[in-house]
Amino acid sequence: MPVKKKAPKKPSSGPTSRKPTPFVARPAIHPGSLLSVTSLSLEEVRNILKLADQLERESPARRNQHLFKRRISLLFYESSTRTRTSFELAAKALGADTTLVSDKSSSIEKGESLKDTGLTLRALGAECIILRSPYSGAPYLLAETTGLPILNAGDGMHEHPSQALLDLRTILSRLGKPSNVGSNTLKGVTITICGDIFHSRVARSNALLLSRLGACVILCGPTPLLPEAAAQIAPEDATGRIEIERDFSRALQRSQVVMMLRIQAERLAGLALDLEEYKARYQANAERIAQYAPKAVIMHPGPMIRGLEITSEVADGPQSVIEEQVHNGVAIRMALIARALSTSKEKKSSR
Ligand code: NCD
């Protein structure tokens, strides 16, 4: 008959022997992360623009050496064409190996959490994760749980920092301004952002960044897509300002740059909009642009709904820089990825 071994005596858990639970610090946010434009100092913005210029000028063979065989994961919980492709091309141009995990074809579909997905990617050797998520703030959670540099490729209705940086690069080059930016670089420049401001992370990141460079940012749209409170988002160190103007023609008359936005049907949550009325008041069409902003630079982050917020004539017209924006995405994202992997953890944490 087998003799049951006595279980080893557990250490007494009496009050005298209880050790204090060790404090487990959560990993700090890696300083190579970019989660919001507000965490970037103007010096960092300058460095990113400078690095983008430098990397773009290098030969493909030289560029390929920067991050040779380093591992970068793209984690996309939302659809994307230009952001995903340009991040991937940027990483590959620097020599890195990339993997793409999307919610449609991974264990995310089986209910795996963001935290577990992030830890899995880290265990597989990912050194940086580029995240797009429908949830505002998701990149902060991923940064805290993995300790890796996280690049926010758009989180819900919160921010889209790499888009704001590529838009800035486009604006500077079109207005003939130096990339060596400071708090007055865009003094005297008026930029209208028109459309579905409420749901737009692009609008938020742009307004937050451009107003710190001295620009006057006019937000334009109907009340359901642009609450009055939006004028209050200007950061403390804004040297420009953020205004609301409901009349698109008036906003156009004052603007050197006009950024049109898509109505984000996937985030409207039951909000009913009269699209014919919307077009009548806010569409960027040839007549309106010719009459009120014949020289303005016309931008759109994409995807565009042609015939709704913008007509083909304007989108493909001589004032449009929409393709240039897409093109600038690769250079900016190369700089962000290089920065993510070259910033040491010991440096001061900056979100
Ligand atoms: C935007 C986005 O996904 O936030 N597009 C982009 O990344 N270029 C805007 C949009 O979806 O309308």
Side-chain angles (χ1 to χ4, degrees):
M1 196 175 153
V3 183
K4 253 194 176 174
K5 265 194 180 173
K6 261 195 178 172
K9 224 181 167 188
K10 275 193 192 153
S12 155
S13 57
T16 48
S17 62
R18 186 177 286 155
K19 285 199 187 124
T21 321
F23 172 71
V24 187
R26 291 169 91 181
I29 289 186
H30 192 289
S33 297
L34 178 58
L35 309 184
S36 156
V37 289
T38 55
S39 66
L40 291 174
S41 66
L42 292 191
E43 188 189 351
E44 284 176 295
V45 174
R46 275 196 294 280
N47 289 342
I48 291 166
L49 293 170
K50 203 166 115 194
L51 187 54
D53 288 349
Q54 179 201 317
L55 290 169
E56 196 175 55
R57 274 196 305 269
E58 284 180 6
S59 70
R62 185 171 153 69
R63 246 190 329 241
N64 196 44
Q65 298 307 306
H66 287 283
L67 300 179
F68 191 67
K69 288 283 164 200
R70 305 283 298 268
R71 289 188 186 163
I72 295 178
S73 281
L74 294 114
L75 179 50
F76 274 64
Y77 288 78
E78 254 188 20
S79 327
S80 170
T81 303
R82 60 223 98 213
T83 305
R84 200 190 77 193
T85 311
S86 61
F87 262 121
E88 192 171 344
L89 288 175
K92 289 204 161 102
L94 298 173
D97 282 343
T98 60
T99 55
L100 169 68
V101 177
S102 84
D103 57 334
K104 303 282 169 349
S105 56
S106 67
S107 293
I108 297 167
E109 218 176 24
K110 302 179 187 168
E112 185 160 59
S113 70
L114 174 63
K115 177 180 167 179
D116 287 331
T117 307
L119 294 176
T120 303
L121 293 176
R122 187 179 72 180
L124 288 167
E127 297 171 82
C128 168
I129 301 175
I130 298 161
L131 174 68
R132 167 163 289 194
S133 166
Y135 302 111
S136 304
Y140 291 85
L141 175 77
L142 193 63
E144 278 174 2
T145 50
T146 63
L148 294 175
I150 305 299
L151 299 179
N152 180 1
D155 63 328
M157 288 155 55
H158 177 231
E159 277 220 43
H160 196 345
S162 64
Q163 180 73 40
L165 288 163
L166 74 88
D167 288 339
L168 173 63
R169 189 174 200 246
T170 311
I171 292 170
L172 294 171
S173 111
R174 279 295 167 149
L175 300 184
K177 305 267 182 201
S179 54
N180 181 17
V181 291
S183 55
N184 284 323
T185 300
L186 296 177
K187 262 257 131 63
V189 176
T190 300
I191 298 163
T192 285
I193 307 179
C194 178
D196 186 357
I197 311 283
F198 183 61
H199 299 102
S200 175
R201 50 201 179 202
V202 175
R204 180 188 291 264
S205 288
N206 266 296
L208 290 171
L209 181 62
L210 298 168
S211 62
R212 289 169 68 207
L213 300 171
C216 168
V217 178
I218 302 180
L219 303 175
C220 183
T223 316
L225 300 181
L226 172 57
E228 280 296 320
Q232 311 302 319
I233 69 162
E236 268 175 28
D237 59 345
T239 47
R241 56 187 195 282
I242 299 177
E243 287 177 21
I244 289 182
E245 171 58 88
R246 306 271 173 206
D247 183 329
F248 190 30
S249 310
R250 272 215 295 265
L252 285 175
Q253 275 173 323
R254 294 174 53 197
S255 302
Q256 287 79 54
V257 178
V258 179
M259 199 179 286
M260 299 305 298
L261 298 175
R262 178 178 71 93
I263 293 183
Q264 305 209 4
E266 71 275 28
R267 294 189 228 278
L268 286 185
L271 185 88
L273 265 185
D274 181 337
L275 292 183
E276 286 312 312
E277 191 194 329
Y278 182 81
K279 283 198 272 186
R281 292 184 62 191
Y282 296 106
Q283 184 184 64
N285 56 42
E287 303 73 51
R288 197 170 255 146
I289 296 298
Q291 187 175 355
Y292 298 107
K295 293 202 179 113
V297 172
I298 309 286
M299 304 175 74
H300 195 308
M304 287 184 275
I305 309 298
R306 288 173 185 258
L308 180 47
E309 73 273 10
I310 192 165
T311 62
S312 286
E313 256 179 302
V314 174
D316 303 330
Q319 291 169 249
S320 164
V321 296
I322 296 169
E323 280 185 29
E324 205 172 307
Q325 288 173 266
V326 177
H327 177 82
N328 280 329
V330 179
I332 287 293
R333 287 166 178 140
M334 281 196 292
L336 292 178
I337 294 168
R339 171 183 176 271
L341 290 188
S342 66
T343 317
S344 87
K345 261 198 121 163
E346 283 68 50
K347 274 202 184 164
K348 189 175 100 350
S349 169
S350 91
R351 296 175 174 211

